[in-house]
Amino acid sequence: MKKYFFILLPFYLLSCSSDSDSSDDVTNNDDNTIISVDGSVDISTVVQNVFDTDNGVTVNVEGETITINSTGLPDHKTPYWDIEGMAHELYEPFPSYIIDDTDAYDDDAEELSRLISTDEEGNTIITYQNNMNMDMVAFDYSMEIPTNPTEAENKEETDLGLIGMALNGVPIYNDSEGRAVLGVVAMSTFDSAGAHPGPNSDYHYHTAAQLSIYAEDNGSTYPTVNDSNLIGFLRDGFPIYGRQEADGSFPDDLDENGGHTATTADFSEAIYHYHCSSENYLNTGWYIMKAGAYHGTPGPSSGN
Ligand SMILES: [Zn+2]
Ligand SMILES: [Zn+2]
């Protein structure tokens, strides 16, 4: 498919200049992925198909802008569904994990000591729990992304708040928590999906779930890292995937922003896309979805 594109494009440009018909700046390949002559890929068809309308996410394409709206509430289990003690059907208790590397927790031992215990086999385990942020509420999130995302000349750092949206409409945050870098104390408030609400009761993902945890629950819609699933789109319009490529390999050519240009299961023409970090963050077993700068230019977002 890639070959086809590179053969087709010069021919198209040639024919375009010879008959001086410049009204049409897009072309269709075999499977209707629309690419423009500058090589950027039109993401609008994929975006319209992949967001979870069952969870109330709406996608509107107008001109060269795609607007995605959501409440930010998840469609999967979390202890944060225990709103005011209601027995919500998607409630599940906080997770427990074996701590392989206790060093990662030493600095915060005092704060974490109430969460750390020893199981029957003598393993050191941590049982997560909420802090003062106990519930989550619906917001009116809006994120505008370009139909044809392109690389920015000056790469803008991601900031606090929504830097992207998962397919279920839940905001994606970077590796900051408040004005600090995310640490193990804050991470001990994560649910099994690598998310928690902030002070505004704004539920958000920092990391993606580890697929092994959900081996018995593969039908779930948790964003997961140890696979090649499409997780969502960042504010610059570029998609973000789990740690793997579609063939199961781990990419070894990611740039400093965590992405590269290649075909994916969703895009048959090469497109820039992010992958979740492959760094075992603070040896906690979690993988940050996205840190650092955007590859493209982030569009406006609002909601919380
Ligand atoms: Zn957070
Ligand atoms: Zn890739």
Side-chain angles (χ1 to χ4, degrees):
M1 196 52 63
K2 204 172 181 178
K3 236 177 210 164
Y4 179 67
F5 167 63
F6 286 116
I7 293 163
L8 173 72
L9 189 57
F11 171 74
Y12 178 80
L13 288 171
L14 200 66
S15 66
C16 187
S17 55
S18 60
D19 64 7
S20 70
D21 172 16
S22 58
S23 62
D24 191 5
D25 67 348
V26 295
T27 183
N28 266 298
N29 71 359
D30 276 356
D31 44 15
N32 295 319
T33 305
I34 302 169
I35 48 172
S36 69
V37 285
D38 68 3
S40 68
V41 178
D42 187 330
I43 60 169
S44 50
T45 303
V46 173
V47 171
Q48 284 173 304
N49 287 335
V50 294
F51 273 93
D52 188 359
T53 50
D54 287 346
N55 200 39
V57 184
T58 61
V59 176
N60 285 298
V61 182
E62 211 176 309
E64 293 175 355
T65 303
I66 307 171
T67 305
I68 307 165
N69 289 91
S70 79
T71 65
L73 291 175
D75 53 349
H76 56 67
K77 292 177 181 176
T78 168
Y80 291 107
W81 276 121
D82 188 25
I83 296 169
E84 294 172 0
M86 287 190 315
H88 194 283
E89 59 178 354
L90 288 174
Y91 169 80
E92 70 177 1
F94 278 94
S96 291
Y97 303 102
I98 292 173
I99 300 175
D100 294 323
D101 176 11
T102 50
D103 289 352
Y105 296 83
D106 273 1
D107 286 348
D108 299 296
E110 205 172 314
E111 254 181 285
L112 292 169
S113 60
R114 66 198 168 95
L115 308 181
I116 294 176
S117 59
T118 307
D119 72 6
E120 290 157 3
E121 279 107 53
N123 297 309
T124 304
I125 60 167
I126 182 167
T127 303
Y128 287 8
Q129 68 175 55
N130 63 274
N131 55 18
M132 66 287 280
N133 308 324
M134 295 176 61
D135 60 0
M136 53 184 184
V137 298
F139 285 85
D140 185 12
Y141 287 111
S142 180
M143 178 173 93
E144 288 179 28
I145 57 176
T147 54
N148 287 65
T150 52
E151 180 176 4
E153 213 160 292
N154 298 308
K155 307 286 192 294
E156 190 177 315
E157 290 294 315
T158 58
D159 204 349
L160 294 177
L162 182 153
I163 67 162
M165 207 182 270
L167 301 184
N168 58 7
V170 173
I172 296 171
Y173 280 32
N174 67 9
D175 59 344
S176 300
E177 181 68 17
R179 284 287 159 194
V181 173
L182 191 64
V184 287
V185 172
M187 295 175 81
S188 70
T189 67
F190 282 179
D191 59 15
S192 297
H196 63 182
N200 301 333
S201 302
D202 49 333
Y203 184 80
H204 55 267
Y205 299 119
H206 287 281
T207 63
Q210 302 159 82
L211 186 61
S212 57
I213 298 172
Y214 295 102
E216 298 152 36
D217 192 15
N218 282 336
S220 79
T221 54
Y222 294 101
T224 50
V225 289
N226 293 328
D227 56 37
S228 63
N229 291 345
L230 176 61
I231 290 173
F233 287 79
L234 295 197
R235 279 177 47 202
D236 59 4
F238 288 113
I240 178 166
Y241 287 84
R243 296 169 60 209
Q244 296 177 8
E245 300 289 13
D247 66 3
S249 65
F250 289 86
D252 57 6
D253 61 344
L254 299 182
D255 64 20
E256 58 187 5
N257 298 314
H260 64 171
T261 301
T263 60
T264 73
D266 308 281
F267 296 96
S268 58
E269 301 303 337
I271 182 172
Y272 184 89
H273 58 275
Y274 302 96
H275 284 278
C276 288
S277 162
S278 268
E279 181 194 338
N280 182 350
Y281 188 71
L282 303 177
N283 285 333
T284 56
W286 293 100
Y287 295 87
I288 296 291
M289 278 190 184
K290 165 66 188 162
Y294 295 101
H295 180 71
T297 306
S301 69
S302 60
N304 66 339

